[in-house]
Amino acid sequence: MRILLLGGTREARELAQIASGERGFEIVSSLAGRVREPVLPAGEVRVGGFGGAEGLRDWLLAHRIDLVVDATHPFAGTITANAAAAASALDLPLIRLSRPGWTAEPGDNWIRVPDLAAAAETIADVGERVLLTIGRQGVSAFAGLTRPWFLIRAIDPPDPPLPARYELLLARGPFTVADETDLLVRECIDTVVTKDSGGDLTSAKLTAARAAGIPVVMIDRPPTPPGVVLTATVAETWERVCAGACGR
Ligand code: NAP
């Protein structure tokens, strides 16, 4: 069974690792090529866009793919929509692995917003010193704001335009609660802005914000395209893949 694994996440790397030890599966992992020094998955890897839904459909045909697993980040809405369109056009099975989002706990002060634009609108009225921890993509939604001051944390520098007042902190998680607490105190952060990415790799900032009584602007995920098989964990996804292989 030939599988295209759309990746760029820890879950995708775990799936590639599992599949590389199994007979009967040929997996090609695909990365967008955004990160300069990506952590590479096991097995065959290709890097770069396909050229929209049509380009992806052509690629799937040319590479005789039997199944697509979309294990991209929950906020990678365009590639997820393209994968749904391309798989549907070829009548190929598609599994969307998307880890569950975070749930607020007692003591959390979250302001949920539907998207980046709403986060930028909200933050203009809420914070003075903001930890912007949404990755390098989407920072331009905050461009044009003259206040607040942002500490922008990302693995690689974001592309301009950027907010008027900011400092850049280049860092790759995971971070511990102690790291995050230290950062909030050291930088006198009064608000955190994050995407609802889910998972435990980047959740320490939420624990630290809760303990410090700091509000979190939580950006909701883009919608999942209809008609897609949704899974929440690597194990569940691998089960589905194996079930698909048995059904062939
Ligand atoms: P996106 O907005 O959904 O995709 C934009 C374009 O990038 C797509 O149309 C596609 O180009 C290309 N692309 C995206 N993922 C790809 C993949 N795995 N393989 C090949 N091409 C891909 O995606 P994004 O938000 O820019 O995210 C890009 C990558 O970074 C994803 O793989 C995602 O898993 C990872 N990532 C994203 C975030 C985030 O917050 N968005 C966080 C962590 C990791 P074509 O149309 O030319 O095919």
Side-chain angles (χ1 to χ4, degrees), residues 28-210:
V28 182
S29 290
S30 177
L31 303 178
R34 299 275 192 281
V35 178
R36 280 190 199 143
E37 289 179 28
V39 186
L40 288 176
E44 191 180 336
V45 181
R46 68 165 297 286
V47 180
F50 297 92
E54 284 190 10
L56 177 54
R57 187 202 56 200
D58 294 347
W59 191 97
L60 294 170
L61 262 183
H63 292 80
R64 304 181 325 280
I65 296 296
D66 302 302
L67 168 72
V68 181
V69 178
D70 173 7
T72 56
H73 189 270
F75 278 82
T78 307
I79 189 72
T80 289
N82 290 351
S88 159
L90 297 175
D91 212 11
L92 280 183
L94 166 67
I95 301 172
R96 169 66 171 133
L97 164 56
S98 186
R99 66 181 94 119
W102 288 311
T103 310
E105 293 182 16
D108 278 327
N109 176 8
W110 291 2
I111 305 164
R112 279 209 173 263
V113 294
D115 51 30
L116 285 161
E121 235 171 68
T122 304
I123 202 65
D125 300 327
V126 175
E128 291 293 336
R129 293 181 64 85
V130 175
L131 174 61
L132 186 60
T133 164
I134 59 168
R136 62 183 283 273
Q137 294 176 63
V139 175
S140 59
F142 297 82
L145 295 182
T146 50
R147 61 161 301 278
W149 173 88
F150 290 95
L151 180 63
I152 302 173
R153 183 169 69 187
I155 296 175
D156 291 322
D159 295 328
L162 300 177
R165 298 169 56 226
Y166 72 92
E167 239 174 69
L168 194 55
L169 173 61
L170 296 181
R172 190 194 292 259
F175 308 101
T176 65
V177 175
D179 291 339
E180 300 291 53
T181 303
D182 184 53
L183 182 67
L184 296 182
V185 171
R186 198 175 64 235
E187 298 290 349
C188 302
I189 299 297
D190 62 15
T191 312
V192 174
V193 179
T194 180
K195 295 172 175 171
D196 184 6
S197 301
D200 53 12
L201 266 190
T202 54
S203 63
K205 61 191 168 193
L206 303 176
T207 311
R210 184 185 313 128

